[in-house]
Amino acid sequence: MNLKWKELIVSIAISLGVGALAGYLIRGSVALYSDLIKPPLSPPSFIFPIVWTILYVLMGISAYMIYVSGSEDVKEALKVYGLQLFLNFLWSLVFFNMQAYLLAFIILCLLLFTIYIMIERFGAINLTAAKLQIPYLLWVMFAGYLNLAIVFLNK
């Protein structure tokens, strides 16, 4: 396989950029997270940016693999990819800045569904690209547990 470096770098930069922009926009609200009552298994706050950086890189690599695949289904698959990036971004703003934890959970459920559809569409084009999204799906499922617990524990 001939690696197209420019496309790969752009793809990773897009996903990391979405995460960085969300991080920048919520930077003043993240400290409030430490004041919340959190459920068991809540990781320390420093874990989140590490995990998210890894996941955004995997997302970017996966999207690159779809983009260069030459499949006729690329456009539709990348639309779903873009939608899940948007929902991911939106969740951060709703959860941290608005502190609307129930609404954030609803958005997270939509995000999970969208990730599932994305994995399905990616899998029809490139199985490796789909598999690279599985850690993301699992992490967002875990985030759903944390988010829903925060809804109930912080009434």
Side-chain angles (χ1 to χ4, degrees):
M1 179 178 165
N2 190 13
L3 205 58
K4 297 180 180 180
W5 286 102
K6 179 182 174 187
E7 289 85 349
L8 177 60
I9 291 167
V10 168
S11 185
I12 293 171
I14 288 170
S15 60
L16 282 172
V18 168
L21 180 59
Y24 176 78
L25 293 174
I26 67 169
R27 71 191 181 288
S29 303
V30 173
L32 298 172
Y33 181 76
S34 62
D35 296 333
L36 293 172
I37 302 168
K38 291 178 275 309
L41 304 178
S42 294
S45 294
F46 76 89
I47 294 293
F48 291 99
I50 296 167
V51 171
W52 277 113
T53 299
I54 293 166
L55 293 174
Y56 283 125
V57 169
L58 291 175
M59 281 186 238
I61 294 168
S62 177
Y64 159 79
M65 294 170 80
I66 297 303
Y67 180 75
V68 299
S69 70
S71 170
E72 61 187 34
D73 299 323
V74 166
K75 189 174 181 178
E76 289 305 312
L78 290 179
K79 281 182 186 177
V80 177
Y81 176 76
L83 176 60
Q84 69 78 25
L85 275 178
F86 171 75
L87 290 169
N88 180 311
F89 175 81
L90 183 63
W91 178 87
S92 297
L93 298 179
V94 171
F95 185 89
F96 289 104
N97 288 2
M98 294 174 57
Q99 298 168 11
Y101 305 122
L102 182 57
L103 178 58
F105 180 73
I106 293 167
I107 292 168
L108 199 74
C109 290
L110 291 171
L111 175 59
L112 275 169
F113 177 73
T114 307
I115 294 168
Y116 174 78
I117 298 300
M118 176 185 62
I119 290 172
E120 194 174 71
R121 299 238 174 123
F122 278 24
I125 297 169
N126 182 314
L127 193 55
T128 302
K131 288 179 179 179
L132 286 175
Q133 297 289 352
I134 291 173
Y136 177 41
L137 176 69
L138 296 173
W139 182 256
V140 173
M141 289 170 71
F142 178 65
Y145 154 74
L146 295 174
N147 190 156
L148 187 60
I150 286 169
V151 168
F152 289 114
L153 295 171
N154 294 274
K155 288 188 174 195

PDB file of all heavy atoms in Angstrom, residues 80 84 87 107-119 137 140:
ATOM      1  N   VAL A  80     -21.027  10.010   7.890  1.00  0.00           N
ATOM      2  CA  VAL A  80     -21.319   9.462   9.222  1.00  0.00           C
ATOM      3  C   VAL A  80     -20.159   9.770  10.172  1.00  0.00           C
ATOM      4  O   VAL A  80     -20.362  10.124  11.328  1.00  0.00           O
ATOM      5  CB  VAL A  80     -21.618   7.950   9.169  1.00  0.00           C
ATOM      6  CG1 VAL A  80     -21.848   7.381  10.561  1.00  0.00           C
ATOM      7  CG2 VAL A  80     -22.812   7.665   8.274  1.00  0.00           C
ATOM      8  N   GLN A  84     -20.459  11.914  13.667  1.00  0.00           N
ATOM      9  CA  GLN A  84     -20.041  11.476  14.993  1.00  0.00           C
ATOM     10  C   GLN A  84     -19.013  12.438  15.589  1.00  0.00           C
ATOM     11  O   GLN A  84     -19.017  12.671  16.785  1.00  0.00           O
ATOM     12  CB  GLN A  84     -19.553  10.018  14.991  1.00  0.00           C
ATOM     13  CG  GLN A  84     -18.267   9.726  14.300  1.00  0.00           C
ATOM     14  CD  GLN A  84     -17.022  10.090  15.070  1.00  0.00           C
ATOM     15  OE1 GLN A  84     -17.028  10.152  16.292  1.00  0.00           O
ATOM     16  NE2 GLN A  84     -15.948  10.342  14.360  1.00  0.00           N
ATOM     17  N   LEU A  87     -21.123  15.256  17.002  1.00  0.00           N
ATOM     18  CA  LEU A  87     -21.801  14.861  18.246  1.00  0.00           C
ATOM     19  C   LEU A  87     -20.804  14.752  19.396  1.00  0.00           C
ATOM     20  O   LEU A  87     -21.116  15.139  20.533  1.00  0.00           O
ATOM     21  CB  LEU A  87     -22.549  13.536  18.057  1.00  0.00           C
ATOM     22  CG  LEU A  87     -23.777  13.593  17.160  1.00  0.00           C
ATOM     23  CD1 LEU A  87     -24.267  12.189  16.834  1.00  0.00           C
ATOM     24  CD2 LEU A  87     -24.881  14.431  17.786  1.00  0.00           C
ATOM     25  N   ILE A 107     -27.265  13.013  24.061  1.00  0.00           N
ATOM     26  CA  ILE A 107     -26.343  13.227  22.942  1.00  0.00           C
ATOM     27  C   ILE A 107     -25.358  12.062  22.857  1.00  0.00           C
ATOM     28  O   ILE A 107     -25.049  11.567  21.765  1.00  0.00           O
ATOM     29  CB  ILE A 107     -25.605  14.576  23.083  1.00  0.00           C
ATOM     30  CG1 ILE A 107     -26.600  15.725  22.902  1.00  0.00           C
ATOM     31  CG2 ILE A 107     -24.440  14.684  22.093  1.00  0.00           C
ATOM     32  CD1 ILE A 107     -26.072  17.085  23.305  1.00  0.00           C
ATOM     33  N   LEU A 108     -24.902  11.592  24.010  1.00  0.00           N
ATOM     34  CA  LEU A 108     -23.982  10.463  24.036  1.00  0.00           C
ATOM     35  C   LEU A 108     -24.627   9.200  23.460  1.00  0.00           C
ATOM     36  O   LEU A 108     -23.965   8.431  22.755  1.00  0.00           O
ATOM     37  CB  LEU A 108     -23.503  10.214  25.468  1.00  0.00           C
ATOM     38  CG  LEU A 108     -22.249   9.395  25.602  1.00  0.00           C
ATOM     39  CD1 LEU A 108     -21.021  10.208  25.202  1.00  0.00           C
ATOM     40  CD2 LEU A 108     -22.097   8.907  27.023  1.00  0.00           C
ATOM     41  N   CYS A 109     -25.896   9.001  23.745  1.00  0.00           N
ATOM     42  CA  CYS A 109     -26.608   7.854  23.158  1.00  0.00           C
ATOM     43  C   CYS A 109     -26.673   7.974  21.644  1.00  0.00           C
ATOM     44  O   CYS A 109     -26.460   6.987  20.927  1.00  0.00           O
ATOM     45  CB  CYS A 109     -28.010   7.726  23.755  1.00  0.00           C
ATOM     46  SG  CYS A 109     -28.008   7.193  25.478  1.00  0.00           S
ATOM     47  N   LEU A 110     -26.946   9.183  21.147  1.00  0.00           N
ATOM     48  CA  LEU A 110     -26.928   9.412  19.695  1.00  0.00           C
ATOM     49  C   LEU A 110     -25.528   9.182  19.129  1.00  0.00           C
ATOM     50  O   LEU A 110     -25.373   8.614  18.049  1.00  0.00           O
ATOM     51  CB  LEU A 110     -27.398  10.834  19.375  1.00  0.00           C
ATOM     52  CG  LEU A 110     -28.864  11.150  19.636  1.00  0.00           C
ATOM     53  CD1 LEU A 110     -29.124  12.648  19.474  1.00  0.00           C
ATOM     54  CD2 LEU A 110     -29.749  10.349  18.699  1.00  0.00           C
ATOM     55  N   LEU A 111     -24.522   9.625  19.877  1.00  0.00           N
ATOM     56  CA  LEU A 111     -23.141   9.423  19.460  1.00  0.00           C
ATOM     57  C   LEU A 111     -22.819   7.930  19.371  1.00  0.00           C
ATOM     58  O   LEU A 111     -22.232   7.481  18.385  1.00  0.00           O
ATOM     59  CB  LEU A 111     -22.185  10.126  20.429  1.00  0.00           C
ATOM     60  CG  LEU A 111     -20.691   9.904  20.205  1.00  0.00           C
ATOM     61  CD1 LEU A 111     -20.258  10.354  18.813  1.00  0.00           C
ATOM     62  CD2 LEU A 111     -19.894  10.613  21.286  1.00  0.00           C
ATOM     63  N   LEU A 112     -23.220   7.166  20.366  1.00  0.00           N
ATOM     64  CA  LEU A 112     -22.968   5.720  20.342  1.00  0.00           C
ATOM     65  C   LEU A 112     -23.619   5.060  19.128  1.00  0.00           C
ATOM     66  O   LEU A 112     -22.995   4.243  18.448  1.00  0.00           O
ATOM     67  CB  LEU A 112     -23.498   5.069  21.622  1.00  0.00           C
ATOM     68  CG  LEU A 112     -22.565   5.101  22.814  1.00  0.00           C
ATOM     69  CD1 LEU A 112     -23.284   4.675  24.080  1.00  0.00           C
ATOM     70  CD2 LEU A 112     -21.350   4.235  22.566  1.00  0.00           C
ATOM     71  N   PHE A 113     -24.854   5.432  18.862  1.00  0.00           N
ATOM     72  CA  PHE A 113     -25.550   4.885  17.694  1.00  0.00           C
ATOM     73  C   PHE A 113     -24.815   5.256  16.414  1.00  0.00           C
ATOM     74  O   PHE A 113     -24.628   4.433  15.517  1.00  0.00           O
ATOM     75  CB  PHE A 113     -26.998   5.383  17.668  1.00  0.00           C
ATOM     76  CG  PHE A 113     -27.764   4.919  16.476  1.00  0.00           C
ATOM     77  CD1 PHE A 113     -28.181   3.599  16.370  1.00  0.00           C
ATOM     78  CD2 PHE A 113     -28.062   5.797  15.438  1.00  0.00           C
ATOM     79  CE1 PHE A 113     -28.883   3.159  15.250  1.00  0.00           C
ATOM     80  CE2 PHE A 113     -28.767   5.373  14.320  1.00  0.00           C
ATOM     81  CZ  PHE A 113     -29.175   4.049  14.225  1.00  0.00           C
ATOM     82  N   THR A 114     -24.366   6.503  16.336  1.00  0.00           N
ATOM     83  CA  THR A 114     -23.661   6.981  15.144  1.00  0.00           C
ATOM     84  C   THR A 114     -22.313   6.274  14.986  1.00  0.00           C
ATOM     85  O   THR A 114     -21.917   5.922  13.866  1.00  0.00           O
ATOM     86  CB  THR A 114     -23.484   8.510  15.202  1.00  0.00           C
ATOM     87  OG1 THR A 114     -24.760   9.118  15.422  1.00  0.00           O
ATOM     88  CG2 THR A 114     -22.897   9.056  13.918  1.00  0.00           C
ATOM     89  N   ILE A 115     -21.610   6.049  16.092  1.00  0.00           N
ATOM     90  CA  ILE A 115     -20.345   5.314  16.027  1.00  0.00           C
ATOM     91  C   ILE A 115     -20.596   3.897  15.514  1.00  0.00           C
ATOM     92  O   ILE A 115     -19.842   3.384  14.678  1.00  0.00           O
ATOM     93  CB  ILE A 115     -19.641   5.290  17.401  1.00  0.00           C
ATOM     94  CG1 ILE A 115     -19.204   6.691  17.811  1.00  0.00           C
ATOM     95  CG2 ILE A 115     -18.429   4.338  17.368  1.00  0.00           C
ATOM     96  CD1 ILE A 115     -18.758   6.790  19.266  1.00  0.00           C
ATOM     97  N   TYR A 116     -21.644   3.273  16.010  1.00  0.00           N
ATOM     98  CA  TYR A 116     -21.983   1.922  15.553  1.00  0.00           C
ATOM     99  C   TYR A 116     -22.232   1.906  14.034  1.00  0.00           C
ATOM    100  O   TYR A 116     -21.701   1.052  13.323  1.00  0.00           O
ATOM    101  CB  TYR A 116     -23.205   1.395  16.303  1.00  0.00           C
ATOM    102  CG  TYR A 116     -23.680   0.071  15.780  1.00  0.00           C
ATOM    103  CD1 TYR A 116     -23.024  -1.108  16.122  1.00  0.00           C
ATOM    104  CD2 TYR A 116     -24.757  -0.003  14.900  1.00  0.00           C
ATOM    105  CE1 TYR A 116     -23.436  -2.331  15.606  1.00  0.00           C
ATOM    106  CE2 TYR A 116     -25.178  -1.221  14.383  1.00  0.00           C
ATOM    107  CZ  TYR A 116     -24.514  -2.373  14.741  1.00  0.00           C
ATOM    108  OH  TYR A 116     -24.916  -3.576  14.225  1.00  0.00           O
ATOM    109  N   ILE A 117     -23.014   2.867  13.555  1.00  0.00           N
ATOM    110  CA  ILE A 117     -23.291   2.956  12.114  1.00  0.00           C
ATOM    111  C   ILE A 117     -21.999   3.219  11.351  1.00  0.00           C
ATOM    112  O   ILE A 117     -21.751   2.632  10.291  1.00  0.00           O
ATOM    113  CB  ILE A 117     -24.337   4.067  11.814  1.00  0.00           C
ATOM    114  CG1 ILE A 117     -25.667   3.757  12.492  1.00  0.00           C
ATOM    115  CG2 ILE A 117     -24.509   4.277  10.315  1.00  0.00           C
ATOM    116  CD1 ILE A 117     -26.312   2.468  12.060  1.00  0.00           C
ATOM    117  N   MET A 118     -21.150   4.093  11.891  1.00  0.00           N
ATOM    118  CA  MET A 118     -19.874   4.386  11.238  1.00  0.00           C
ATOM    119  C   MET A 118     -19.023   3.121  11.135  1.00  0.00           C
ATOM    120  O   MET A 118     -18.459   2.831  10.069  1.00  0.00           O
ATOM    121  CB  MET A 118     -19.112   5.462  12.014  1.00  0.00           C
ATOM    122  CG  MET A 118     -17.734   5.749  11.463  1.00  0.00           C
ATOM    123  SD  MET A 118     -16.786   6.916  12.454  1.00  0.00           S
ATOM    124  CE  MET A 118     -16.648   6.051  14.011  1.00  0.00           C
ATOM    125  N   ILE A 119     -18.933   2.358  12.214  1.00  0.00           N
ATOM    126  CA  ILE A 119     -18.153   1.121  12.192  1.00  0.00           C
ATOM    127  C   ILE A 119     -18.718   0.159  11.150  1.00  0.00           C
ATOM    128  O   ILE A 119     -17.964  -0.474  10.391  1.00  0.00           O
ATOM    129  CB  ILE A 119     -18.103   0.476  13.594  1.00  0.00           C
ATOM    130  CG1 ILE A 119     -17.242   1.328  14.527  1.00  0.00           C
ATOM    131  CG2 ILE A 119     -17.572  -0.953  13.528  1.00  0.00           C
ATOM    132  CD1 ILE A 119     -17.279   0.902  15.979  1.00  0.00           C
ATOM    133  N   LEU A 137     -15.541   3.208  20.424  1.00  0.00           N
ATOM    134  CA  LEU A 137     -16.879   2.752  20.807  1.00  0.00           C
ATOM    135  C   LEU A 137     -16.890   2.315  22.271  1.00  0.00           C
ATOM    136  O   LEU A 137     -17.782   2.710  23.037  1.00  0.00           O
ATOM    137  CB  LEU A 137     -17.326   1.604  19.907  1.00  0.00           C
ATOM    138  CG  LEU A 137     -18.670   0.970  20.243  1.00  0.00           C
ATOM    139  CD1 LEU A 137     -19.813   1.934  19.952  1.00  0.00           C
ATOM    140  CD2 LEU A 137     -18.857  -0.331  19.471  1.00  0.00           C
ATOM    141  N   VAL A 140     -16.560   5.361  24.643  1.00  0.00           N
ATOM    142  CA  VAL A 140     -17.796   6.149  24.701  1.00  0.00           C
ATOM    143  C   VAL A 140     -18.873   5.398  25.484  1.00  0.00           C
ATOM    144  O   VAL A 140     -19.668   6.011  26.191  1.00  0.00           O
ATOM    145  CB  VAL A 140     -18.266   6.573  23.289  1.00  0.00           C
ATOM    146  CG1 VAL A 140     -19.629   7.238  23.323  1.00  0.00           C
ATOM    147  CG2 VAL A 140     -17.239   7.530  22.661  1.00  0.00           C
TER     148      VAL A 140
END
